[in-house]
Amino acid sequence: MINFFKTKNRLDLDKPSNQKAEILYELINKNSATRLDLMQMTGCLNITAIISKLRLDHEIEIKCNFRDVLNKHGRPVKFGVYNLIDKGDALNKYNTINKR
């Protein structure tokens, strides 16, 4: 079973009421998160689509930095780590996203 809301609420935010709010909540409370981290913390499966909606619909700046690692076969692969660019702007938009 997946444990939802592993991140402690350090900013006294309302509990998320939808998937976009859940992802934004975790990004606000953590400095960075991978797609796997976000899936485990929220239970949302299509993280990239939700990140895209946050970027396009709500104009929240979320940067994806790619890291190079070797997979179990020794081949180089990349994975993304998501970061909020402007945490203050994200905090302002969180309450409007959470009410929908």
Side-chain angles (χ1 to χ4, degrees), residues 2-100:
I2 296 174
N3 291 328
F4 298 116
F5 306 116
K6 288 183 181 178
T7 304
K8 291 184 180 182
N9 191 349
R10 296 181 296 235
L11 298 171
D12 196 30
L13 298 172
D14 292 337
K15 189 174 180 180
S17 61
N18 56 58
Q19 288 185 337
K20 286 194 282 188
E22 283 181 311
I23 298 300
L24 187 55
Y25 177 88
E26 295 299 338
L27 288 174
I28 288 170
N29 281 303
K30 292 186 60 132
N31 291 333
S32 62
T34 65
R35 191 175 87 190
L36 180 61
D37 293 337
L38 292 170
M39 285 190 327
Q40 289 176 338
M41 289 185 281
T42 64
C44 302
L45 297 179
N46 199 351
I47 302 299
T48 54
I50 297 168
I51 296 280
S52 180
K53 287 182 180 185
L54 288 170
R55 286 174 174 156
L56 296 173
D57 296 345
H58 303 286
E59 298 176 354
I60 297 173
E61 294 182 63
I62 301 170
K63 185 176 182 182
C64 184
N65 296 316
F66 288 98
R67 291 196 185 153
D68 296 317
V69 295
L70 296 177
N71 68 8
K72 66 181 182 179
H73 303 291
R75 296 186 188 116
V77 295
K78 294 181 181 183
F79 69 94
V81 179
Y82 295 105
N83 300 316
L84 283 173
I85 300 297
D86 187 358
K87 197 171 186 177
D89 181 49
L91 280 168
N92 292 335
K93 293 180 180 177
Y94 175 78
N95 289 326
T96 60
I97 293 169
N98 196 30
K99 292 180 182 176
R100 292 183 183 184

